[in-house]
Amino acid sequence: MLRIKNNCTTIGLLKPGMIIRYHDEDLKIIKLLERKLTSKGLICKYKVNGGNGILSAHSGLRVNVLTERHINKDHRTWYM
């Protein structure tokens, strides 16, 4: 049985090479396409392998990271 260690982070802190689980799909982040500040907050758009090819979400949304290669364990997330 394969056991995967899950870590949580926010959409705004994703980096290329990370594999995340978003709505029961495994998506690999390729690159950041756009970060836009709107009246509702920061919106991030990423190009991904899987899904429809683009992940667009509010930057404070939490997702599960399936690989630990690019995770900075000393980084803390602050919410306003």
Side-chain angles (χ1 to χ4, degrees), residues 18-34:
M18 285 184 160
I19 299 174
I20 63 167
R21 176 152 297 169
Y22 184 72
H23 291 297
D24 294 331
E25 278 188 73
D26 294 344
L27 306 173
K28 182 176 181 180
I29 304 297
I30 298 173
K31 70 176 184 174
L32 175 69
L33 292 177
E34 180 181 11

Side-chain angles (χ1 to χ4, degrees), residues 7-79:
N7 290 318
C8 242
T9 190
T10 60
I11 292 284
L13 298 175
L14 296 178
K15 293 184 174 51
M18 285 184 160
I19 299 174
I20 63 167
R21 176 152 297 169
Y22 184 72
H23 291 297
D24 294 331
E25 278 188 73
D26 294 344
L27 306 173
K28 182 176 181 180
I29 304 297
I30 298 173
K31 70 176 184 174
L32 175 69
L33 292 177
E34 180 181 11
R35 237 183 223 168
K36 181 172 35 172
L37 185 61
T38 64
S39 61
K40 295 182 180 183
L42 187 65
I43 304 293
C44 295
K45 230 181 231 189
Y46 291 95
K47 185 173 182 178
V48 296
N49 278 343
N52 63 355
I54 293 178
L55 170 64
S56 179
H58 186 270
S59 68
L61 182 68
R62 296 190 73 72
V63 292
N64 286 330
V65 178
L66 301 179
T67 59
E68 296 181 27
R69 193 169 76 185
H70 295 289
I71 296 175
N72 183 0
K73 297 192 187 252
D74 296 331
H75 189 78
R76 294 184 184 176
T77 304
W78 298 94
Y79 293 98

